[in-house]
Amino acid sequence: MRAALSGVLLALGLSVTAAAAQDAIDVRVDTSKPGATIDRHIFGQFAEHLGTQIYGGIWVGRHSKIPNVRGIRKDVVAALRALHVPDVRWPGGCYADQYHWRDGVGKTRNARVNGSWGNVLDSNDFGTDEYFDLLQQIGADAYVSVNVGSGTVEEAADWLEYMTAAQPTALAKQRATNGHPAPYKVAFLGLGNESWDCGGLMTPSEYTEKMRLFGRFVNNFNPGAPMQKIAVGPGTPDTAWTDAVMKTWKERHGWSFDINGMSLHSYTVLDGWPPHKPSTDFGEQDYAGVLGETLKMDGLIQSQSAVMDKYDPDKKIALAVDEWGVWLAPMPGSNPAFLQQQNSQRDAILAALNLNIFARHADRVRMSNIAQMVNVLQAMIMTDGPKMVLTPTYYIFKMYVPFQDAALLPVTYDAGSYTFENVTLPRLDVIAARTKDGGIAVSLTNIDPHKPAVLDIALPGVSAAAAHGQILSASAVDSVNSFAAPNTVSPRPVSARIEDGRLAITLPPASVAVLTLDR
Ligand code: AHR
């Protein structure tokens, strides 16, 4: 695989060449019909107390030799700022349903065993106030998941009062004593996590009872900062859970509860549970298989949205895909409970394909959170002591920044196909959007790991003379960035001329390019 791919790339010199007209794929972007807004919150992150994500990856403590601001790593903050992270979901995950917020505020912290992830000690040195400090340092919104599994409505309601009360209540005063007189803004509130599994193995009706109570009594008191409540949604193609949540919402009345969104969890796992596919040194079978699995996200969103449409044709309730990404075997030698895996060029392509799916469903999917942000699963960033490395997936999120809050544009093309053994995938995946500042952004993914894709893109009505951006390709689909070789996969600048409203570009095999048109 490595030899074949690098041969083609060498021939291309990893550059973008003029399109060869004879076998070019025609792509047409309808610039006159901007559609739904691609909510910036579909580029959200997830930071659970799991493995070395919080402790080591984000929080090193004020007295660490690793450069930090109030205990939070400077290098990680700088890297995250470049992604324009819209929100960070915290503290879990499964961990959220065993988290007791009072353990993590004030001068004295209560250490606890992290029973979700390896029974390691959690010092609770990173708690609510440190979380909001992280958000402020990276410029992101809060997405807090309250404990519905082992906590009470009262505990969760108190937490919200601690975080958001502007008036001098006892909990607001406690927050002020802890150094934060001004109320925090909680943009999103998760009402539990995977209540059908690690959140308590509840039936749909057991959960909807919790949803009614937590939805009614756990409230935001910050008048300047509206909050959206996200109910637990499904984690499989089965629609019974969705039906129960949506029916309960539809039948509410008077001053009862309300929700603004329902979650969907879907990991890409090839060949069944537990995840056992390696994250390094894999072949084309895994490449094609994993990407084939990930493309099922589209059908999953369609079938769950169809049930939501039945109760909510106006799409008031957002579908929040607040856990997604590839889940692979733990790295050899790592603690299996820490969910540490490498991150390859294939995984970058997987991220682009999922972001494209979410963008195409922008009318319903208004939030997503990749699992997870640092050192866990399909991470943006990996750390080891003072060292930090950015993953190929990180670069996709960075390249996609122009799509945040952009309006989706209709795109037509004949993708063709790429086949490996019994897996056939579209060869090409494209989205386009009118950016917030009135420009046009295009994302182009060539899934085929052997053939370059020659594209001839019609942009009717566009007067721009050139497009600029970045392209992410690698010498092999299993290329990764390591601490020893941190820049093996990193984007390169790319430019293309636009003549008579047509943009010609050749994508290397297994690559993603994002271009924005000159204005
Ligand atoms: O992301 C790891 C775990 O996967 C989360 O804690 C849980 O919600 C899901 O099952």
Side-chain angles (χ1 to χ4, degrees):
M1 186 63 176
R2 187 175 288 271
L5 183 51
S6 54
V8 179
L9 288 169
L10 273 177
L12 278 169
L14 269 176
S15 67
V16 175
T17 63
Q22 60 275 32
D23 59 356
I25 303 172
D26 285 318
V27 178
R28 186 186 161 86
V29 179
D30 193 340
T31 57
S32 67
K33 292 201 182 80
T37 298
I38 304 167
D39 197 307
R40 70 193 174 93
H41 289 285
I42 78 162
F43 301 93
Q45 297 288 335
F46 173 28
E48 181 164 13
H49 285 235
L50 197 176
T52 57
Q53 172 152 239
I54 299 293
Y55 299 107
I58 293 170
W59 176 259
V60 288
R62 288 180 171 78
H63 305 299
S64 171
K65 286 198 176 111
I66 299 172
N68 67 84
V69 174
R70 295 179 293 278
I72 296 170
R73 294 179 75 121
K74 275 187 178 176
D75 52 355
V76 168
V77 165
L80 292 173
R81 284 190 71 82
L83 298 188
H84 298 210
V85 174
D87 63 87
V88 181
R89 182 170 178 253
W90 176 84
C94 296
Y95 182 78
D97 279 313
Q98 67 166 87
Y99 183 66
H100 298 287
W101 69 272
R102 285 188 167 89
D103 294 334
V105 294
K107 282 211 169 71
T108 310
R109 304 294 170 99
N110 291 332
R112 293 252 190 183
V113 171
N114 183 335
S116 296
W117 303 111
N119 288 339
V120 295
L121 191 73
D122 188 321
S123 63
N124 275 309
D125 285 346
F126 187 93
T128 304
D129 298 306
E130 291 73 25
Y131 167 66
F132 279 97
D133 194 5
L134 168 71
L135 296 179
Q136 184 264 319
Q137 290 189 36
I138 66 174
D141 288 345
Y143 181 6
V144 175
S145 285
V146 292
N147 182 343
V148 168
S150 65
T152 62
V153 177
E154 184 184 11
E155 182 189 14
D158 283 356
W159 194 11
L160 266 286
E161 188 177 319
Y162 176 87
M163 291 187 282
T164 66
Q167 289 138 308
T169 70
L171 287 164
K173 283 184 190 164
Q174 193 183 338
R175 187 190 64 232
T177 305
N178 293 338
H180 306 274
Y184 293 123
K185 296 179 180 176
V186 179
F188 301 98
L189 185 76
L191 305 177
N193 174 76
E194 295 192 357
S195 305
W196 33 264
D197 187 13
C198 67
L201 201 61
M202 297 179 204
T203 62
S205 64
E206 283 165 349
Y207 178 69
T208 51
E209 192 180 327
K210 298 270 188 192
M211 178 178 83
R212 286 196 302 262
L213 295 176
F214 280 78
R216 167 68 184 89
F217 296 113
V218 183
N219 290 311
N220 172 37
F221 296 109
N222 186 339
M227 181 179 85
Q228 300 192 38
K229 293 180 182 172
I230 314 291
V232 168
T236 69
D238 189 273
T239 55
W241 188 279
T242 303
D243 201 272
V245 168
M246 294 303 294
K247 188 166 186 287
T248 307
W249 171 76
K250 183 74 180 174
E251 289 173 353
R252 83 204 183 285
H253 54 78
W255 288 342
S256 66
F257 81 103
D258 204 355
I259 54 170
N260 311 88
M262 185 194 73
S263 75
L264 170 67
H265 287 187
S266 179
Y267 286 95
T268 301
V269 180
L270 184 61
D271 290 349
W273 200 259
H276 56 280
K277 292 291 180 181
S279 54
T280 56
D281 302 312
F282 53 83
E284 190 165 355
Q285 194 159 35
D286 276 18
Y287 174 76
V290 164
L291 294 186
E293 273 302 308
T294 220
L295 288 171
K296 292 180 182 167
M297 179 67 89
D298 187 58
L300 186 61
I301 291 173
Q302 281 184 41
S303 56
Q304 299 294 350
S305 297
V307 177
M308 296 177 82
D309 287 347
K310 206 167 78 176
Y311 298 100
D312 175 29
D314 298 333
K315 301 192 195 300
K316 289 187 179 132
I317 304 293
L319 186 60
V321 190
D322 57 15
E323 285 188 30
W324 67 275
V326 65
W327 193 324
L328 301 161
M331 286 294 283
S334 68
N335 181 339
F338 285 9
L339 310 186
Q340 274 174 347
Q341 61 190 46
Q342 249 295 2
N343 191 301
S344 61
Q345 174 69 8
R346 177 206 52 202
D347 304 338
I349 292 174
L350 180 148
L353 296 177
N354 279 282
L355 292 172
N356 293 355
I357 291 169
F358 302 149
R360 291 190 194 102
H361 290 285
D363 55 349
R364 179 67 86 178
V365 177
R366 300 197 284 272
M367 171 175 232
S368 99
N369 300 78
I370 189 167
Q372 295 195 11
M373 190 161 79
V374 184
N375 290 337
V376 174
L377 298 176
Q378 192 176 348
M380 306 298 110
I381 294 171
M382 296 188 302
T383 65
D384 180 13
K387 291 178 272 185
M388 179 187 84
V389 71
L390 306 176
T391 66
T393 299
Y394 171 92
Y395 290 116
I396 293 296
F397 274 73
K398 190 165 176 205
M399 288 159 64
Y400 269 68
V401 166
F403 287 99
Q404 295 198 8
D405 286 336
L408 190 70
L409 293 171
V411 183
T412 46
Y413 55 95
D414 175 0
S417 60
Y418 148 68
T419 298
F420 182 79
E421 294 182 349
N422 59 347
V423 182
T424 295
L425 307 174
R427 196 177 146 208
L428 183 69
D429 203 59
V430 180
I431 61 163
R434 172 80 60 189
T435 59
K436 260 190 319 197
D437 60 3
I440 289 176
V442 187
S443 169
L444 311 158
T445 299
N446 179 13
I447 294 178
D448 194 315
H450 300 292
K451 288 197 226 145
V454 182
L455 308 183
D456 181 9
I457 306 173
L459 297 152
V462 162
S463 55
H468 303 279
Q470 293 198 307
I471 190 159
L472 192 71
S473 63
S475 61
V477 292
D478 59 354
S479 294
V480 298
N481 291 336
S482 63
F483 296 108
N487 299 314
T488 306
V489 186
S490 58
R492 293 149 198 267
V494 62
S495 296
R497 280 212 313 276
I498 303 174
E499 280 169 22
D500 302 326
R502 302 189 86 87
L503 185 157
I505 184 168
T506 298
L507 303 175
S511 66
V512 182
V514 174
L515 300 170
T516 50
L517 274 51
D518 285 352
R519 307 203 45 214

mmCIF file with all atom_site columns, all heavy atoms in Angstrom, residues 282-296:
data_model
loop_
_atom_site.group_PDB
_atom_site.id
_atom_site.type_symbol
_atom_site.label_atom_id
_atom_site.label_alt_id
_atom_site.label_comp_id
_atom_site.label_asym_id
_atom_site.label_entity_id
_atom_site.label_seq_id
_atom_site.pdbx_PDB_ins_code
_atom_site.Cartn_x
_atom_site.Cartn_y
_atom_site.Cartn_z
_atom_site.occupancy
_atom_site.B_iso_or_equiv
_atom_site.pdbx_formal_charge
_atom_site.auth_seq_id
_atom_site.auth_comp_id
_atom_site.auth_asym_id
_atom_site.auth_atom_id
_atom_site.pdbx_PDB_model_num
ATOM 1   N N   . PHE A 1 282 ? -1.730  -0.467 8.929  1.00 0.00 ? 282 PHE A N   1
ATOM 2   C CA  . PHE A 1 282 ? -2.844  -1.242 8.376  1.00 0.00 ? 282 PHE A CA  1
ATOM 3   C C   . PHE A 1 282 ? -2.792  -1.187 6.849  1.00 0.00 ? 282 PHE A C   1
ATOM 4   O O   . PHE A 1 282 ? -2.097  -0.357 6.264  1.00 0.00 ? 282 PHE A O   1
ATOM 5   C CB  . PHE A 1 282 ? -4.185  -0.734 8.907  1.00 0.00 ? 282 PHE A CB  1
ATOM 6   C CG  . PHE A 1 282 ? -4.390  0.747  8.714  1.00 0.00 ? 282 PHE A CG  1
ATOM 7   C CD1 . PHE A 1 282 ? -4.859  1.257  7.508  1.00 0.00 ? 282 PHE A CD1 1
ATOM 8   C CD2 . PHE A 1 282 ? -4.115  1.636  9.742  1.00 0.00 ? 282 PHE A CD2 1
ATOM 9   C CE1 . PHE A 1 282 ? -5.044  2.621  7.329  1.00 0.00 ? 282 PHE A CE1 1
ATOM 10  C CE2 . PHE A 1 282 ? -4.296  3.007  9.568  1.00 0.00 ? 282 PHE A CE2 1
ATOM 11  C CZ  . PHE A 1 282 ? -4.757  3.501  8.360  1.00 0.00 ? 282 PHE A CZ  1
ATOM 12  N N   . GLY A 1 283 ? -3.555  -2.064 6.231  1.00 0.00 ? 283 GLY A N   1
ATOM 13  C CA  . GLY A 1 283 ? -3.540  -2.139 4.775  1.00 0.00 ? 283 GLY A CA  1
ATOM 14  C C   . GLY A 1 283 ? -4.800  -1.568 4.156  1.00 0.00 ? 283 GLY A C   1
ATOM 15  O O   . GLY A 1 283 ? -5.643  -0.968 4.834  1.00 0.00 ? 283 GLY A O   1
ATOM 16  N N   . GLU A 1 284 ? -4.933  -1.824 2.855  1.00 0.00 ? 284 GLU A N   1
ATOM 17  C CA  . GLU A 1 284 ? -6.044  -1.230 2.112  1.00 0.00 ? 284 GLU A CA  1
ATOM 18  C C   . GLU A 1 284 ? -7.397  -1.796 2.554  1.00 0.00 ? 284 GLU A C   1
ATOM 19  O O   . GLU A 1 284 ? -8.414  -1.117 2.466  1.00 0.00 ? 284 GLU A O   1
ATOM 20  C CB  . GLU A 1 284 ? -5.831  -1.450 0.612  1.00 0.00 ? 284 GLU A CB  1
ATOM 21  C CG  . GLU A 1 284 ? -6.815  -0.660 -0.219 1.00 0.00 ? 284 GLU A CG  1
ATOM 22  C CD  . GLU A 1 284 ? -6.431  -0.555 -1.685 1.00 0.00 ? 284 GLU A CD  1
ATOM 23  O OE1 . GLU A 1 284 ? -5.328  -1.029 -2.050 1.00 0.00 ? 284 GLU A OE1 1
ATOM 24  O OE2 . GLU A 1 284 ? -7.247  -0.007 -2.461 1.00 0.00 ? 284 GLU A OE2 1
ATOM 25  N N   . GLN A 1 285 ? -7.376  -3.037 3.035  1.00 0.00 ? 285 GLN A N   1
ATOM 26  C CA  . GLN A 1 285 ? -8.637  -3.632 3.494  1.00 0.00 ? 285 GLN A CA  1
ATOM 27  C C   . GLN A 1 285 ? -9.231  -2.798 4.637  1.00 0.00 ? 285 GLN A C   1
ATOM 28  O O   . GLN A 1 285 ? -10.426 -2.494 4.644  1.00 0.00 ? 285 GLN A O   1
ATOM 29  C CB  . GLN A 1 285 ? -8.370  -5.042 3.982  1.00 0.00 ? 285 GLN A CB  1
ATOM 30  C CG  . GLN A 1 285 ? -9.624  -5.845 4.154  1.00 0.00 ? 285 GLN A CG  1
ATOM 31  C CD  . GLN A 1 285 ? -9.315  -7.326 4.135  1.00 0.00 ? 285 GLN A CD  1
ATOM 32  O OE1 . GLN A 1 285 ? -8.262  -7.734 4.630  1.00 0.00 ? 285 GLN A OE1 1
ATOM 33  N NE2 . GLN A 1 285 ? -10.196 -8.106 3.576  1.00 0.00 ? 285 GLN A NE2 1
ATOM 34  N N   . ASP A 1 286 ? -8.403  -2.432 5.586  1.00 0.00 ? 286 ASP A N   1
ATOM 35  C CA  . ASP A 1 286 ? -8.877  -1.598 6.697  1.00 0.00 ? 286 ASP A CA  1
ATOM 36  C C   . ASP A 1 286 ? -9.222  -0.189 6.215  1.00 0.00 ? 286 ASP A C   1
ATOM 37  O O   . ASP A 1 286 ? -10.174 0.427  6.707  1.00 0.00 ? 286 ASP A O   1
ATOM 38  C CB  . ASP A 1 286 ? -7.811  -1.488 7.795  1.00 0.00 ? 286 ASP A CB  1
ATOM 39  C CG  . ASP A 1 286 ? -7.859  -2.678 8.739  1.00 0.00 ? 286 ASP A CG  1
ATOM 40  O OD1 . ASP A 1 286 ? -8.444  -3.713 8.357  1.00 0.00 ? 286 ASP A OD1 1
ATOM 41  O OD2 . ASP A 1 286 ? -7.299  -2.574 9.845  1.00 0.00 ? 286 ASP A OD2 1
ATOM 42  N N   . TYR A 1 287 ? -8.437  0.312  5.274  1.00 0.00 ? 287 TYR A N   1
ATOM 43  C CA  . TYR A 1 287 ? -8.711  1.664  4.749  1.00 0.00 ? 287 TYR A CA  1
ATOM 44  C C   . TYR A 1 287 ? -10.118 1.716  4.162  1.00 0.00 ? 287 TYR A C   1
ATOM 45  O O   . TYR A 1 287 ? -10.960 2.531  4.570  1.00 0.00 ? 287 TYR A O   1
ATOM 46  C CB  . TYR A 1 287 ? -7.672  2.017  3.675  1.00 0.00 ? 287 TYR A CB  1
ATOM 47  C CG  . TYR A 1 287 ? -7.955  3.336  2.975  1.00 0.00 ? 287 TYR A CG  1
ATOM 48  C CD1 . TYR A 1 287 ? -7.702  4.548  3.605  1.00 0.00 ? 287 TYR A CD1 1
ATOM 49  C CD2 . TYR A 1 287 ? -8.491  3.358  1.678  1.00 0.00 ? 287 TYR A CD2 1
ATOM 50  C CE1 . TYR A 1 287 ? -7.969  5.750  2.974  1.00 0.00 ? 287 TYR A CE1 1
ATOM 51  C CE2 . TYR A 1 287 ? -8.759  4.559  1.035  1.00 0.00 ? 287 TYR A CE2 1
ATOM 52  C CZ  . TYR A 1 287 ? -8.498  5.746  1.694  1.00 0.00 ? 287 TYR A CZ  1
ATOM 53  O OH  . TYR A 1 287 ? -8.772  6.944  1.064  1.00 0.00 ? 287 TYR A OH  1
ATOM 54  N N   . ALA A 1 288 ? -10.374 0.799  3.228  1.00 0.00 ? 288 ALA A N   1
ATOM 55  C CA  . ALA A 1 288 ? -11.678 0.802  2.561  1.00 0.00 ? 288 ALA A CA  1
ATOM 56  C C   . ALA A 1 288 ? -12.791 0.432  3.549  1.00 0.00 ? 288 ALA A C   1
ATOM 57  O O   . ALA A 1 288 ? -13.869 1.038  3.556  1.00 0.00 ? 288 ALA A O   1
ATOM 58  C CB  . ALA A 1 288 ? -11.657 -0.167 1.383  1.00 0.00 ? 288 ALA A CB  1
ATOM 59  N N   . GLY A 1 289 ? -12.510 -0.552 4.397  1.00 0.00 ? 289 GLY A N   1
ATOM 60  C CA  . GLY A 1 289 ? -13.533 -1.032 5.336  1.00 0.00 ? 289 GLY A CA  1
ATOM 61  C C   . GLY A 1 289 ? -13.959 0.046  6.317  1.00 0.00 ? 289 GLY A C   1
ATOM 62  O O   . GLY A 1 289 ? -15.152 0.263  6.564  1.00 0.00 ? 289 GLY A O   1
ATOM 63  N N   . VAL A 1 290 ? -12.992 0.729  6.897  1.00 0.00 ? 290 VAL A N   1
ATOM 64  C CA  . VAL A 1 290 ? -13.300 1.768  7.893  1.00 0.00 ? 290 VAL A CA  1
ATOM 65  C C   . VAL A 1 290 ? -14.070 2.930  7.241  1.00 0.00 ? 290 VAL A C   1
ATOM 66  O O   . VAL A 1 290 ? -15.062 3.425  7.781  1.00 0.00 ? 290 VAL A O   1
ATOM 67  C CB  . VAL A 1 290 ? -12.007 2.253  8.590  1.00 0.00 ? 290 VAL A CB  1
ATOM 68  C CG1 . VAL A 1 290 ? -12.222 3.570  9.317  1.00 0.00 ? 290 VAL A CG1 1
ATOM 69  C CG2 . VAL A 1 290 ? -11.515 1.194  9.564  1.00 0.00 ? 290 VAL A CG2 1
ATOM 70  N N   . LEU A 1 291 ? -13.624 3.347  6.046  1.00 0.00 ? 291 LEU A N   1
ATOM 71  C CA  . LEU A 1 291 ? -14.337 4.465  5.403  1.00 0.00 ? 291 LEU A CA  1
ATOM 72  C C   . LEU A 1 291 ? -15.742 4.031  4.979  1.00 0.00 ? 291 LEU A C   1
ATOM 73  O O   . LEU A 1 291 ? -16.700 4.817  5.062  1.00 0.00 ? 291 LEU A O   1
ATOM 74  C CB  . LEU A 1 291 ? -13.542 4.996  4.205  1.00 0.00 ? 291 LEU A CB  1
ATOM 75  C CG  . LEU A 1 291 ? -12.200 5.645  4.572  1.00 0.00 ? 291 LEU A CG  1
ATOM 76  C CD1 . LEU A 1 291 ? -11.556 6.280  3.348  1.00 0.00 ? 291 LEU A CD1 1
ATOM 77  C CD2 . LEU A 1 291 ? -12.341 6.691  5.677  1.00 0.00 ? 291 LEU A CD2 1
ATOM 78  N N   . GLY A 1 292 ? -15.879 2.764  4.559  1.00 0.00 ? 292 GLY A N   1
ATOM 79  C CA  . GLY A 1 292 ? -17.215 2.250  4.222  1.00 0.00 ? 292 GLY A CA  1
ATOM 80  C C   . GLY A 1 292 ? -18.131 2.295  5.441  1.00 0.00 ? 292 GLY A C   1
ATOM 81  O O   . GLY A 1 292 ? -19.291 2.701  5.356  1.00 0.00 ? 292 GLY A O   1
ATOM 82  N N   . GLU A 1 293 ? -17.586 1.904  6.599  1.00 0.00 ? 293 GLU A N   1
ATOM 83  C CA  . GLU A 1 293 ? -18.376 1.941  7.844  1.00 0.00 ? 293 GLU A CA  1
ATOM 84  C C   . GLU A 1 293 ? -18.784 3.371  8.183  1.00 0.00 ? 293 GLU A C   1
ATOM 85  O O   . GLU A 1 293 ? -19.918 3.635  8.571  1.00 0.00 ? 293 GLU A O   1
ATOM 86  C CB  . GLU A 1 293 ? -17.531 1.413  9.021  1.00 0.00 ? 293 GLU A CB  1
ATOM 87  C CG  . GLU A 1 293 ? -17.573 -0.065 9.233  1.00 0.00 ? 293 GLU A CG  1
ATOM 88  C CD  . GLU A 1 293 ? -18.967 -0.611 9.462  1.00 0.00 ? 293 GLU A CD  1
ATOM 89  O OE1 . GLU A 1 293 ? -19.697 -0.107 10.334 1.00 0.00 ? 293 GLU A OE1 1
ATOM 90  O OE2 . GLU A 1 293 ? -19.326 -1.556 8.731  1.00 0.00 ? 293 GLU A OE2 1
ATOM 91  N N   . THR A 1 294 ? -17.838 4.279  8.041  1.00 0.00 ? 294 THR A N   1
ATOM 92  C CA  . THR A 1 294 ? -18.118 5.655  8.475  1.00 0.00 ? 294 THR A CA  1
ATOM 93  C C   . THR A 1 294 ? -19.206 6.307  7.631  1.00 0.00 ? 294 THR A C   1
ATOM 94  O O   . THR A 1 294 ? -19.979 7.127  8.115  1.00 0.00 ? 294 THR A O   1
ATOM 95  C CB  . THR A 1 294 ? -16.820 6.491  8.503  1.00 0.00 ? 294 THR A CB  1
ATOM 96  O OG1 . THR A 1 294 ? -16.853 7.312  9.661  1.00 0.00 ? 294 THR A OG1 1
ATOM 97  C CG2 . THR A 1 294 ? -16.628 7.376  7.289  1.00 0.00 ? 294 THR A CG2 1
ATOM 98  N N   . LEU A 1 295 ? -19.278 5.902  6.348  1.00 0.00 ? 295 LEU A N   1
ATOM 99  C CA  . LEU A 1 295 ? -20.292 6.518  5.478  1.00 0.00 ? 295 LEU A CA  1
ATOM 100 C C   . LEU A 1 295 ? -21.711 6.119  5.872  1.00 0.00 ? 295 LEU A C   1
ATOM 101 O O   . LEU A 1 295 ? -22.682 6.725  5.418  1.00 0.00 ? 295 LEU A O   1
ATOM 102 C CB  . LEU A 1 295 ? -19.999 6.172  4.011  1.00 0.00 ? 295 LEU A CB  1
ATOM 103 C CG  . LEU A 1 295 ? -18.774 6.896  3.435  1.00 0.00 ? 295 LEU A CG  1
ATOM 104 C CD1 . LEU A 1 295 ? -18.413 6.358  2.058  1.00 0.00 ? 295 LEU A CD1 1
ATOM 105 C CD2 . LEU A 1 295 ? -19.005 8.404  3.360  1.00 0.00 ? 295 LEU A CD2 1
ATOM 106 N N   . LYS A 1 296 ? -21.832 5.127  6.769  1.00 0.00 ? 296 LYS A N   1
ATOM 107 C CA  . LYS A 1 296 ? -23.168 4.748  7.256  1.00 0.00 ? 296 LYS A CA  1
ATOM 108 C C   . LYS A 1 296 ? -23.784 5.857  8.120  1.00 0.00 ? 296 LYS A C   1
ATOM 109 O O   . LYS A 1 296 ? -24.954 5.821  8.450  1.00 0.00 ? 296 LYS A O   1
ATOM 110 C CB  . LYS A 1 296 ? -23.100 3.441  8.059  1.00 0.00 ? 296 LYS A CB  1
ATOM 111 C CG  . LYS A 1 296 ? -22.762 2.244  7.189  1.00 0.00 ? 296 LYS A CG  1
ATOM 112 C CD  . LYS A 1 296 ? -22.713 0.963  8.007  1.00 0.00 ? 296 LYS A CD  1
ATOM 113 C CE  . LYS A 1 296 ? -22.312 -0.212 7.120  1.00 0.00 ? 296 LYS A CE  1
ATOM 114 N NZ  . LYS A 1 296 ? -21.945 -1.398 7.911  1.00 0.00 ? 296 LYS A NZ  1
#
